[in-house]
Amino acid sequence: MLIKEECGLAAASSQSEANVLPLVVNMLRALQHRGQEAWGLAVPGKEPWRMLGLVSEGLGKAAAICARSPSPYAIGHTRYSTVGRTVLENVQPMMVGREFAIAHNGTISNTEEIVNKLSSYYAIPAWASDTLIVGYMMHYLLSKFNGDWFKVFEELSPQLNGAYCFIILTKAGEVYVARDEAGFRPLCLGWHDDASSYVVASESCALSVVGAHLIRDVKPGEVLRIKDGVVESHIFAESGRVAHCAFEYTYFANPSSTLDGVSVYEARKRLGQELAKLYKIEADVVIPVPDSARPAALGFSQVSGIPLEEGLMKDRYSKKGGLRSFIEPALKDRLEINRWVLPVEQTVRGKKVVLIDDSIVRGTSSKTIIKALRKAGAKSIFLLSTYPPIRYPCYAGIDFPTKEELVAHKIEGGVVDLEEVNKRVAEEIGADFVGYNTLEGLSRGIGKQISELCTSCHTGDYSCLKKAPQYTQRMKKGRW
Ligand code: SF4
């Protein structure tokens, strides 16, 4: 039983009687890039509202909920499933007993262990996701510790293997937010003046959208209790080694966000500058793969002196054209999105093109884009990736479910020499040249030490998790 959730979280708790539901809905809209399959809202004492599709597709319903059930406390979630099916039962927030609603960003990989521990107390449904299973464990611990959530997290943390940010809303209107001790996924706290409300979100872009200001990041290993304008902090686990997900900086997060003190936009620009120092290429034009590689392409152009142009356009008017292909669960949908990335012939015809992408994961979108650029007349294509080769699955919340579907793993055959990997991947995806970033270049670009980052999907070193993952189990559970 393993359902992975890389998602967006939002919460608000007002010290006045302001209705914060509209704030939470708008924060979820700003977090849509973290999950575009489903979303939900919860207020105290009511069954959560859970919907499939984009938040923007359900605004009528959201407006009705906001008007019908105003509340000074609310939480919300946008979902990106990676192994679980996109059905309403897996959409969050989820109710646990009648006590609290829970929403989660991350992956818990030892759910079977937890189910076994709880088997004498609960009949946990077979379809239960990692979020719901951990919710049952919280429920059990709450009764053991007489409702003391700080003790619940102290007891829970050593039992969880994986990555998590949780937001919890109790029936009494208390909001609890917690971040695992490695700090894999981002989570931040802000303040909204007009609503006299604390707000919490996966990323600071969601605070900006509603006019709130960022106070600080939730610390790794910290739980906050927010009620009636008071924030109480408790460190439930000491952080031996922080391991912020490097992929958040290169791809996942919104460029307007600041994560753990680093501007995502600036980090991406620096990553492009690192690539320009690493690969001296003679070319006519630099173009980004839209949208996440735009700042990196700018950084590459600044250092290399090669002019930056827009050479690929997303057709935002086609049904799936505006969505992110990587986080779409089905291959056919990912291909459909890539089909609507259109080359600008005037930019690329007869030119030597440097194509900057954030990463090369499965290689399918790179292949499609390179084909389209060749058709549009590009003379040669040098593809550079701000992320080093991805060779291993992620067990901390991003969708690289099996080694077998990662192009760098398939092609390498045990080779670790970067030049050889570059050559083999270039042949596989049809580029004239492929150049991956190095681990050191990634660290310099992000502006954090290698020892502060999780880079397991590149190195295969999973020491930032409590236990080594079970490859074989994951392979069996894969959706494809
Ligand atoms: S394995 Fe890769 S994608 Fe997963 S958390 Fe670590 S850096 Fe991020």
Side-chain angles (χ1 to χ4, degrees):
M1 197 176 323
L2 180 62
I3 294 178
K4 195 167 75 161
E5 308 279 354
E6 168 60 79
C7 308
L9 302 177
S13 171
S14 171
Q15 65 183 42
S16 68
E17 283 306 299
N19 177 15
V20 297
L21 266 171
L23 277 185
V24 172
V25 172
N26 283 327
M27 286 198 283
L28 291 180
R29 289 184 75 177
L31 294 171
Q32 196 78 86
H33 59 283
R34 299 186 69 83
Q36 53 200 25
E37 289 167 49
W39 62 288
L41 295 167
V43 298
K46 284 193 168 23
E47 267 303 309
W49 298 277
R50 303 188 290 173
M51 291 143 273
L52 297 179
L54 300 175
V55 182
S56 56
E57 290 166 354
L59 287 180
K61 202 164 177 185
I65 293 167
C66 293
R68 205 174 53 230
S69 304
S71 170
Y73 322 107
I75 65 172
H77 185 265
T78 56
R79 179 167 193 263
Y80 152 40
S81 77
T82 51
V83 179
R85 284 176 308 134
T86 302
V87 291
L88 267 182
E89 67 195 16
N90 285 328
V91 179
Q92 303 182 30
M94 290 168 165
M95 214 46 206
V96 183
R98 292 175 182 276
E99 307 302 313
F100 59 91
I102 183 171
H104 171 213
N105 172 197
T107 305
I108 302 299
S109 58
N110 61 329
T111 45
E112 282 174 29
E113 237 173 83
I114 300 170
V115 169
N116 290 341
K117 283 184 193 171
L118 294 174
S119 59
S120 342
Y121 309 100
Y122 301 95
I124 298 178
W127 53 261
S129 65
D130 56 351
T131 308
L132 189 58
I133 292 166
V134 176
Y136 276 107
M137 182 52 107
M138 288 172 176
H139 191 270
Y140 168 74
L141 293 173
L142 264 183
S143 65
K144 182 172 165 187
F145 294 119
N146 293 322
D148 184 336
W149 276 95
F150 291 169
K151 283 217 170 73
V152 168
F153 274 99
E154 280 176 19
E155 182 90 359
L156 187 65
S157 142
Q159 303 186 52
L160 300 183
N161 193 32
Y164 56 87
C165 287
F166 286 116
I167 54 171
I168 286 154
L169 180 62
T170 69
K171 63 182 179 190
E174 297 159 320
V175 173
Y176 287 88
V177 302
R179 190 179 183 196
D180 67 59
E181 61 268 34
F184 284 104
R185 301 280 144 237
L187 193 64
C188 63
L189 174 72
W191 173 259
H192 190 277
D193 276 331
D194 291 349
S196 297
S197 178
Y198 281 105
V199 284
V200 176
S202 293
E203 289 180 39
S204 62
C205 67
L207 308 188
S208 310
V209 125
V210 294
H213 69 264
L214 174 67
I215 298 175
R216 67 173 175 89
D217 296 288
V218 178
K219 295 176 199 150
E222 182 181 33
V223 53
L224 301 177
R225 174 186 181 273
I226 309 171
K227 183 76 200 296
D228 299 331
V230 178
V231 178
E232 226 181 307
S233 157
H234 179 71
I235 301 296
F236 62 86
E238 285 305 327
S239 185
R241 180 219 191 284
V242 290
H244 302 309
C245 170
F247 204 66
E248 289 273 357
Y249 293 94
T250 57
Y251 169 77
F252 215 82
N254 187 295
S256 69
S257 289
T258 297
L259 309 184
D260 291 297
V262 172
S263 150
V264 174
Y265 177 80
E266 292 298 335
R268 287 186 190 164
K269 210 161 68 169
R270 284 194 299 269
L271 285 159
Q273 293 165 348
E274 288 294 327
L275 284 176
K277 289 180 212 157
L278 196 58
Y279 296 105
K280 308 284 180 211
I281 293 172
E282 280 187 24
D284 303 310
V285 68
V286 183
I287 64 169
V289 174
D291 287 316
S292 40
R294 284 208 163 97
L298 174 62
F300 185 92
S301 169
Q302 285 171 338
V303 170
S304 67
I306 303 169
L308 173 72
E309 295 277 359
E310 292 290 349
L312 291 165
M313 289 290 159
K314 276 188 144 189
D315 179 359
R316 296 175 194 285
Y317 302 101
S318 68
K319 187 160 188 288
K320 296 231 167 219
L323 301 183
R324 303 186 98 179
S325 67
F326 173 72
I327 63 171
E328 275 296 294
L331 175 63
K332 73 169 178 40
D333 291 331
R334 293 201 294 269
L335 292 175
E336 174 66 8
I337 292 169
N338 288 325
R339 200 163 72 83
W340 291 101
V341 178
L342 308 174
V344 181
E345 203 179 315
Q346 291 74 2
T347 303
V348 299
R349 178 157 292 282
K351 305 258 179 74
K352 293 181 192 163
V353 175
V354 176
L355 178 65
I356 307 284
D357 207 350
D358 53 79
S359 56
I360 307 168
V361 182
R362 306 172 184 102
T364 40
S365 47
S366 308
K367 254 188 200 170
T368 313
I369 285 169
I370 287 168
K371 227 171 160 181
L373 286 172
R374 289 211 190 279
K375 220 169 154 192
K379 198 160 134 195
S380 37
I381 300 164
F382 309 95
L383 171 59
L384 303 181
S385 159
T386 63
Y387 204 89
I390 292 174
R391 307 180 173 110
Y392 301 95
C394 173
Y395 293 89
I398 306 261
D399 181 17
F400 315 139
T402 69
K403 286 195 285 187
E404 282 64 26
E405 65 179 272
L406 302 171
V407 67
H409 173 82
K410 278 195 292 190
I411 299 311
E412 278 179 7
V415 174
V416 286
D417 174 62
L418 190 61
E419 265 185 49
E420 184 60 24
V421 175
N422 285 345
K423 212 173 113 209
R424 292 190 189 189
V425 173
E427 279 164 19
E428 169 68 16
I429 63 178
D432 294 278
F433 177 84
V434 161
Y436 283 102
N437 204 351
T438 60
L439 194 53
E440 293 72 24
L442 178 74
S443 152
R444 279 193 300 270
I446 291 174
K448 290 200 177 285
Q449 302 292 320
I450 293 175
S451 58
E452 296 173 284
L453 295 170
C454 172
T455 54
S456 310
C457 48
H458 169 60
T459 60
D461 172 2
Y462 290 96
S463 56
C464 49
L465 290 172
K466 291 198 184 87
K467 280 186 211 160
Q470 305 283 316
Y471 285 122
T472 48
Q473 182 196 19
R474 278 301 296 270
M475 286 176 203
K476 276 187 219 149
K477 300 288 179 188
R479 179 208 317 241
W480 291 274

